[in-house]
Amino acid sequence: MSISVSAPGKAFLIGEYAVLEGAPSLVTAVDVRAVAHAPREDGRGQQPTSVVACAHARVVEYLQQAGVAAAGDDGHPDVDTGRFYLGARKLGLGSSAAVTAAVVGYHLAAHGLDPRDPEVLPDALELAMAAHAEAQGGGGSGADVAAAVLGGTLRFEQGKAVPVHPLPGLHLAFVDAGYPAITSELVRRVRQGQAAHPARYSAAMDVLADASRSFIDAYLFDGDDPPDDDGLRERFERLRKATATHNHGLRLLQELAGATFITAEIATIVEQAEAMGLCAKPSGASGGDLVLIMATDRSALDRLGERLRRVHGLVLRTDLSAHAEGLRAEQRLPTNSRLAGFFKLSVENRRRAVAEATGLSMDRLRELDAGSFGVQRANHMIENVVGTLELPLAIATNFRINGRDFLVPMCVEEASVVAAASNAAKMIRAGGGFAAHSDPPWMIAQVQLTPALDAPADAEAAAHAIREAAERLLVLADEAHPRLLIRGGGARELEARVVDPAMLVVHVLVDCQDAMGANLLNTVAETVAPELEALTGWQAGLRILSNLSDRRCAHVSARIPPEALAGRGYTGPQVVDGIVSASRFAELDPYRATTHNKGIMNGVDAVVLATGNDWRAMEASAHAYAARDGRYEPLAIWRKDEAGWLEGRMSLPAAVGVVGGATRTHPVARLALEILGCQSGAELGQVMAAAGLASNLAALRALATEGISRGHMSLHARSVALGAGATGPEVEALARALVEHGEIKAERAMLLLQQMRARPRTDS
């Protein structure tokens, strides 16, 4: 098996600038990883960057001096840093430090040394520190390298890193402020300000250093008994004061440097967090990128994220987790979704290409053989089984989402869906790929209430009584699924809706984590219903989940350069204008919007079905969401930006999971999830949304140029040829003949097949 070693990114919790003057800082490893691995067998290795070259040279010299490696040079690894990107924008999470650490770890592992071994780890840290400083031309504290090598959360002071324990009960999250920050430029401006105004610089640094010490004192846990509720509140209040002091010091530094450290977006995030009783500060050099949010209640972070997204268009990054592992070996290589000529390969060779691209074994892909899902297994899934129905399972290529490549399994019977999605994903890749994020996985359990015979029919009074008891009802809801609480989920909010003078509906919003959640939501509804009856005197009717998962959406966007869209006799700008016009058509006309959305669901449903999720629920939710404002509208819209590029975006309810249901019981669904390598239900929803947006782009491009029929023609012809009885080489030959005749119909296909078979065969 190929060696693959990864290292995490980093985020400063406090002390970003104070650490440069010897004050303590806190830095945490973030589970966005650089992965170093051997160049792939296709021979298209990367050219080493200065960071890779420096790390490579340092560790090879170390291995040779230790007598572990021969005097030769066995070559540098390739390094995948895709997860440090959101579309084409790089996030300020310390990618160069992670690359340095991953390269060092790779070479150590390749020569039989475990980089996590306590005897090896100090050498790995020293090598990475020296290599990174050399590549960066000196400067920097080294905290980012320490986080990449050691992982966890570190107190870093005067070049030394000490692992620490975070305060139990404290939750962290990061909000994307929307701009790339150039750390070196901001530090340069600070140094210029220091030279021009040393007294002001010292005053600002004193404020930042005081904030850092106060923050660290409140944040660290000594390993004894965790604080009780009062103790946690007291610690959190100290954190709030320390972050406010830090933000004040950052503004002083901003004035000194004459640079924008706290953008309007950062100011909005901080203000909104403080208004909700949370604390917030920029993480890192500032000027954009990420803002750290802290709370003692996980659901408060989710509520803040929802408010920021809906009102301000700012995104809480639910995929960024702190306290990540440091250097570690990976079980599989980063997926490579650029498989040139994939459609030309035989089925067996396509499997080999997938195995090579994902690191899966060919034996795992045997699950795709006919009959792997047998009648006996099917008989245990549903009732009255008499057989099984097989559908084609294909792989869509070229998908890159948030800097990571995905090979996307699609199960669909309609010709051209997979090819169109793959082609559109290639165009989107030219603009940096898809950028995606997800809402928290909140789903709705509904309880219907109607007046009992002896109860007053005052819906507003009943709703008021329920809202007053919300906290107690949420505790009761959590008792329905204690294991969900252990995984970090649970009941989050309660809503009482008067839908009619004689009908009240209660919503319990539940964080379902990585499950779709239908069964647990139904249980929650059943659990709270008796207490609702007791509170109101009304009678509980239906107790069931809602499949309108509008609080659990995947949001995906893409930018495509015009030249990537050109072809078929049309220039790139012409295609952009045509797609924008087609989008406006769907926005203005529900008849067109319905077909527009059907094309989106071509891609979405194919992935939902391949992964064993509930495609009926996805369809119902998507179309209800499209009509949420009282008029049926398109899910995806397209515009031309100021640079003339095509921009598309879509929000899609995505109540899907990677655990439970057919994802666990169907062997092909399990394998499809392995091929994808999705780490969560949220990430799977993003893949589905990307497949939908790609399918939409492909359809609109065809409509805006040569029309949809010609694009479907050749692929549809193959299906007709099969239906006419063609086998083996006859299929492609008959499909070509049908296209040439311009009549792709069953009768024509059977006639042409008879003529083909009647011709005398000649030996070649």
Side-chain angles (χ1 to χ4, degrees), residues 290-366:
L290 301 177
V291 175
L292 169 69
I293 313 290
M294 288 170 285
T296 56
D297 177 7
R298 172 72 235 187
S299 64
L301 295 175
D302 292 340
R303 285 191 289 273
L304 173 64
E306 184 175 10
R307 178 184 298 181
L308 289 172
R309 187 186 67 78
R310 292 180 184 274
V311 179
H312 303 285
L314 298 165
V315 176
L316 181 81
R317 292 295 302 271
T318 56
D319 57 327
L320 298 181
S321 56
H323 322 305
E325 290 183 85
L327 284 173
R328 74 181 185 204
E330 296 293 340
Q331 296 302 308
R332 59 185 279 179
L333 298 179
T335 296
N336 170 30
S337 70
R338 287 289 291 116
L339 304 180
F342 188 68
F343 70 98
K344 298 178 182 178
L345 301 177
S346 66
V347 171
E348 184 69 10
N349 284 335
R350 286 183 195 137
R351 290 187 182 184
R352 292 188 187 281
V354 170
E356 167 67 18
T358 62
L360 295 173
S361 69
M362 284 293 287
D363 287 341
R364 284 294 295 115
L365 296 179
R366 299 299 175 206

Side-chain angles (χ1 to χ4, degrees), residues 1-8 31-37 102 109 115-116 325-334 358-359 679:
M1 174 179 155
S2 287
I3 292 172
S4 178
V5 175
S6 72
D31 206 21
V32 171
R33 310 186 75 85
V35 185
H37 58 89
R116 302 178 67 172
E325 290 183 85
L327 284 173
R328 74 181 185 204
E330 296 293 340
Q331 296 302 308
R332 59 185 279 179
L333 298 179
T358 62
Q679 302 300 310

Side-chain angles (χ1 to χ4, degrees), residues 373-415:
F373 179 62
V375 172
Q376 293 307 313
R377 189 188 295 268
N379 193 46
H380 291 293
M381 289 183 66
I382 63 171
E383 56 284 337
N384 297 350
V385 167
V386 296
T388 62
L389 170 67
E390 289 190 276
L391 291 172
L393 184 81
I395 299 292
T397 58
N398 303 317
F399 278 80
R400 190 169 181 81
I401 306 169
N402 291 343
R404 180 182 171 194
D405 275 21
F406 290 87
L407 289 174
V408 180
M410 301 180 79
C411 182
V412 63
E413 86 295 345
E414 183 176 340

